[in-house]
Amino acid sequence: PPCFQPSTEFIDEMPPQWPWLQPAAAAAAARRATPFVLRGRRCSSSVPASVCASAPSGHAREQEDEQSLVVVGGGAAGVYASIRAKTLAPHLNVVVIEKGKFLSKVKISGGGRCNVTNGHHLEPSGLARNYPRGYKELRGSFFRTHGPQDTMHWFSDHGVELKTEEDGRVFPVTDNSASVVDCLLNEARRLGVSLQAGKSVSGASVDANGKFVVKVEKRTIDFVDYISANYVLVATGSSQQGYSFAAQHGHSIIPPVPSLFTFKIADKRLADLSGVSFTRVTAKLMLDGIQKSAPELTQTGPMLVTHWGLSGPVVLRLSAWGARELYQDKYQAKLVVDFIPDIHIEDVKRILFQHKDQHAKNKVNNAFPKEFGLVKRFWGFLLEQESLDGDMHWATVPKSHLNAMALRLKQWMFEVVGKGQFKDEFVTAGGVPLSEISLSTMESKKQPNLFFAGEVLNVDGVTGGFNFQNAWTGGYIAGTSIGTLASKSILKEEQACLQLQGS
Ligand SMILES: Cc1cc2nc3c(=O)[nH]c(=O)nc-3n(C[C@H](O)[C@H](O)[C@H](O)COP(=O)(O)OP(=O)(O)OC[C@H]3O[C@@H](n4cnc5c(N)ncnc54)[C@H](O)[C@@H]3O)c2cc1C
């Protein structure tokens, strides 16, 4: 049985017309769709009309069938796939149905700059380690077929100059996502892809010839249309409708939960530190019921204090690796932070004792060890935690307090009490299991000619451009498979026509 359980928290609406965890209702809807299967038949442009015209009428109808692809979802994966398929098979009718605006996430991503990919992890197995869901499966051919370098080449070949920042994130040199959006949409249009916005796909049935009958609706007005298609690509991101579509065709859905979020911390005094950042901490996430912590639940890198908790790359990576367990534990956990990961605790103590001797006459608030690389606000906070008055002199600080400070700096325990929002990036863990599709083609193992790409799959990456890379790679592979199938099919069609002509 499908393991899908709708989350009440963040998934968008369940389409009332396909309440499709109830198979009887779905079947009835599919029956309603079937009579529309003969829509859109024209003679294929690559088969000479005279050849087809000479064929017996029954055959001719089959041969005259245009090959068509419906892409559900005009995000990164859907648009990239449509371009690839249409490039390989120019005769293929490609329509992308988008319920909102095309490439809306690309537009807002990276704070409006679009973090297209990551330039520091070019080798597939190293790259795959950045995907809490997918790290095993994506190690092989997936990124080898179309990795970050291919993505960067693609964009620069299509006029979008890119730059790689120090931390590996790749952005357009314009620092404006509009250049990425325009490039993709212009290329799709140039190739003749039909881009239809403001329409939503609510399901599809498969007719007796194995063709899809895709149900398209408009929300605003009473509009229902049915499109006949040889191939369907589901690239619906984290939309509920995409999961429903997948389940309708026999897929199970791993329950979607949020990933890439900040931590709400119980300590209200932390708010005083809002805006303080640390270039390098090591943080360990301690989850209930997990005795031996996975290595990924310890992360090192920059961290930021917000007015209600902790954020920054370290926290986001932990939120991704612990996404499912945190969800189960209602976002209650412990976070142990080492603020000076490069100095051993015994050395921290030694530095503090030395400092006490060398700065005996100085106030503790004004002079503190530079080796720790801490900012004054944080040092003041630390003194407060130890109930030390900032005006006291170093000479009067008891050694026991120095030991306690060293311990706190190396193993500060915070109570995580909830999930915050992270506006720059947010993804969904869960979706169609990778075991149910072929990663070399992105085709469903349940339904021939049905393909998936992007976030609809149970793949998500940490922050840094990895999520878009999954969308580009999946879209590219799906587009290649569909384009190749469509080309082979037209070749067969032409051969059949020529045979008929000869007979
Ligand atoms: C604010 C924000 C910033 C981000 N920044 C980055 C970043 O800088 N770098 C990075 O790597 N990742 C980033 N991400 C994650 C990244 O945007 C996603 O991983 C990526 O967009 C997934 O691409 P997709 O094509 O699979 O899905 P989406 O981009 O979500 O596209 C799916 C599309 O399908 C449409 N759709 C859904 N259901 C239907 C239907 N039934 N009929 C028709 N259309 C439908 C949706 O409207 C949507 O446009 C960010 C995410 C957010 C929310």
Side-chain angles (χ1 to χ4, degrees), residues 164-363:
T164 306
E165 297 199 336
E166 219 174 287
D167 58 3
R169 292 180 302 159
V170 176
F171 293 94
V173 289
T174 54
D175 277 330
N176 189 344
S177 58
S179 51
V180 178
V181 172
D182 292 347
C183 161
L184 288 163
L185 294 183
N186 288 341
E187 181 61 2
R189 287 194 191 104
R190 188 187 70 76
L191 291 165
V193 172
S194 166
L195 299 171
Q196 302 194 9
K199 291 179 184 172
S200 146
V201 169
S202 53
S205 59
V206 181
D207 72 12
N209 301 318
K211 281 185 91 172
F212 294 94
V213 182
V214 181
K215 188 177 181 190
V216 181
E217 296 181 69
K218 262 191 191 172
R219 294 238 175 118
T220 43
I221 53 167
D222 197 11
F223 169 98
V224 179
D225 195 8
Y226 296 87
I227 304 177
S228 174
N230 305 75
Y231 313 99
V232 170
L233 168 64
V234 181
T236 44
S238 55
S239 142
Q240 172 60 49
Q241 284 179 321
Y243 302 140
S244 301
F245 194 109
Q248 187 190 7
H249 294 278
H251 285 278
S252 55
I253 303 296
I254 296 173
V257 300
S259 183
L260 293 184
F261 45 85
T262 56
F263 292 161
K264 274 189 187 161
I265 301 292
D267 196 336
K268 285 206 172 62
R269 288 165 302 180
L270 211 59
D272 296 339
L273 285 184
S274 176
V276 169
S277 60
F278 302 86
T279 48
R280 196 173 143 83
V281 303
T282 293
K284 182 175 181 176
L285 187 64
M286 318 267 284
L287 295 158
D288 249 11
I290 298 190
Q291 301 300 327
K292 197 165 167 280
S293 183
E296 292 81 12
L297 293 180
T298 300
Q299 294 285 339
T300 298
M303 191 179 81
L304 172 75
V305 183
T306 67
H307 62 277
W308 38 260
L310 295 170
S311 180
V314 154
V315 170
L316 296 174
R317 283 204 292 266
L318 290 172
S319 79
W321 284 102
R324 198 154 288 285
E325 291 78 10
L326 280 164
Y327 176 81
Q328 274 156 13
D329 295 347
K330 300 191 168 50
Y331 302 101
Q332 310 286 311
K334 288 187 174 49
L335 187 72
V336 182
V337 180
D338 178 350
F339 286 94
I340 325 171
D342 299 319
I343 307 181
H344 190 271
I345 185 156
E346 292 310 320
D347 292 326
V348 173
K349 286 180 191 166
R350 186 181 46 75
I351 291 168
L352 284 169
F353 293 150
Q354 257 176 16
H355 201 87
K356 176 180 157 81
D357 293 343
Q358 288 166 1
H359 298 83
K361 289 182 185 160
N362 290 334
K363 288 182 178 174

Side-chain angles (χ1 to χ4, degrees), residues 95-166:
V95 53
V96 188
I97 309 284
E98 166 54 52
K99 70 176 175 180
K101 287 189 176 159
F102 279 97
L103 300 170
S104 55
K105 279 196 194 163
V106 174
K107 190 144 196 211
I108 58 167
S109 68
R113 296 201 297 148
C114 187
N115 178 194
V116 177
T117 184
N118 192 290
H120 279 185
H121 297 271
L122 303 178
E123 180 269 320
S125 62
L127 179 60
R129 278 200 286 275
N130 291 284
Y131 293 84
R133 266 62 51 187
Y135 64 96
K136 278 193 193 136
E137 298 89 338
L138 306 184
R139 275 179 307 198
S141 65
F142 186 73
F143 287 127
R144 206 166 297 123
T145 306
H146 193 80
Q149 240 160 358
D150 303 302
T151 303
M152 290 189 261
H153 283 144
W154 191 91
F155 279 105
S156 58
D157 288 351
H158 288 81
V160 181
E161 213 185 316
L162 299 170
K163 58 173 177 182
T164 306
E165 297 199 336
E166 219 174 287

